[in-house]
């Protein structure tokens, strides 16, 4: 699916834009089993999203909501939802590889072992939320001890995911952007805004309405 959705982005810049788009839409229509008009609308949304993200990366822009106001609201304990800049996934991949090599742990880091270890870490992450009910954004009321524990468990999951991607020869940043483009095609904002339904539900209903 990723390859199919990626193809038109490059093809549309050439003289074969129309033919390439038609071929991809036809293939997706057969694959999904829904009306071609619905597939085309979803397909166009995915292409538009991919091109927008590509432009942002070229000019170094950030989405308008990705850098919230750094000032805290009066009486609020929440900190800005931002990540540190200047730390790349490639840097972390290299450091993890060196960490394992120095300890002769590479012999244990087969993909299956890493995947199972990742599941275990996800379980430990979930324990941080066990019996707490619904938790609001920013974790209001959490002690520094519990925040630190959560931070470490999230980091463990993240590091295992990077290591697993390395051992499976997956370019994780590229794969994440590709999957985001696929999701944008499956869930166009104009069709799914405010809805938690799966894409197969609204594509079928949209096809019936058309």
């Amino acid at each position: 699916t990723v390859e199919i959705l990626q193809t038109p982005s490059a093809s549309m810049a050439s003289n074969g834009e129309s033919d390439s788009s038609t071929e991809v839409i036809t293939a997706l229509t057969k694959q999904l089993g829904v009306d071609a008009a619905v597939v085309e609308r979803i397909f166009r949304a995915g292409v538009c999203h991919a091109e927008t993200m590509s432009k942002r990366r070229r000019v170094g822009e950030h989405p308008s909501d990705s850098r919230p106001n750094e000032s805290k609201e009066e009486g609020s304990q929440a900190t800005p939802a931002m990540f540190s800049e200047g730390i790349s996934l490639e840097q972390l991949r290299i450091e993890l590889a060196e960490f394992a090599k120095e300890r002769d742990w590479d012999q244990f880091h087969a993909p299956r072992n890493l995947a199972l270890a990742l599941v275990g870490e996800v379980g430990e992450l979930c324990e941080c939320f066990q019996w707490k009910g619904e938790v609001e954004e920013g974790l209001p009321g959490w002690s520094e001890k519990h925040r630190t524990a959560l931070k470490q468990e999230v980091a463990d999951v993240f590091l295992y995911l990077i290591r697993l991607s390395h051992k499976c020869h997956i370019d994780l940043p590229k794969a994440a952007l590709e999957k985001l483009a696929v999701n944008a095609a499956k869930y166009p904002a104009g069709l799914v805004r405010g809805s938690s339904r799966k894409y197969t539900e609204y594509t079928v209903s949209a096809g019936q309405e058309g």
Side-chain angles (χ1 to χ4, degrees):
T1 305
V2 171
E3 287 76 7
I4 291 176
L5 289 172
Q6 284 182 306
T7 302
S9 181
S11 301
M12 288 181 179
S14 66
N15 295 331
E17 173 184 345
S18 180
D19 291 341
S20 298
S21 301
T22 301
E23 290 177 3
V24 174
I25 292 170
T26 299
L28 288 173
T29 299
K30 292 180 180 179
Q31 179 181 347
L32 298 174
V34 297
D35 185 75
V38 177
V39 173
E40 181 174 6
R41 186 162 64 247
I42 297 173
F43 169 79
R44 299 294 181 189
V47 171
C48 180
H49 175 83
E51 291 177 346
T52 299
M53 294 305 295
S54 178
K55 290 177 181 177
R56 280 178 180 158
R57 290 195 297 275
R58 286 199 299 270
V59 300
E61 293 179 350
H62 296 288
S64 59
D65 60 347
S66 67
R67 293 290 175 189
N69 193 321
E70 294 191 15
S71 61
K72 295 183 180 180
E73 295 182 6
E74 186 176 352
S76 172
Q77 299 299 318
T79 56
M82 300 190 304
F83 295 151
S84 300
E85 296 182 350
I87 302 176
S88 70
L89 290 182
E90 176 61 11
Q91 176 186 345
L92 291 174
R93 183 196 68 80
I94 292 173
E95 291 192 17
L96 278 170
E98 292 177 350
F99 183 91
K101 183 177 181 181
E102 289 171 353
R103 292 157 178 78
D104 194 23
W105 286 355
D106 200 63
Q107 59 180 312
F108 307 120
H109 287 184
R112 177 180 178 276
N113 290 343
L114 290 169
L116 293 176
L118 174 60
V119 171
E121 294 298 339
V122 170
E124 293 183 16
L125 168 60
C126 292
E127 286 181 2
C128 294
F129 294 97
Q130 192 172 20
W131 314 124
K132 294 184 181 298
E134 292 297 329
V135 178
E136 296 181 10
E137 180 178 348
L139 312 178
W142 280 42
S143 67
E144 189 61 32
K145 177 182 177 180
H146 288 142
R147 287 175 180 272
T148 299
L150 176 62
K151 179 172 64 176
Q152 292 179 349
E153 295 304 338
V154 169
D156 278 338
V157 171
F158 183 54
L159 293 174
Y160 266 116
L161 184 60
I162 293 174
R163 188 65 172 154
L164 176 61
S165 299
H166 177 184
K167 286 298 183 177
C168 292
H169 294 185
I170 294 173
D171 185 341
L172 185 56
K174 182 180 179 182
L177 288 174
E178 290 174 347
K179 189 58 171 69
L180 188 58
V182 171
N183 289 345
K186 287 183 177 180
Y187 300 96
L191 289 179
V192 303
R193 190 181 305 280
S195 173
S196 61
R197 292 184 299 167
K198 191 174 180 180
Y199 73 96
T200 50
E201 296 182 46
Y202 74 77
T203 51
V204 171
S205 61
Q208 292 174 345
E209 291 173 4

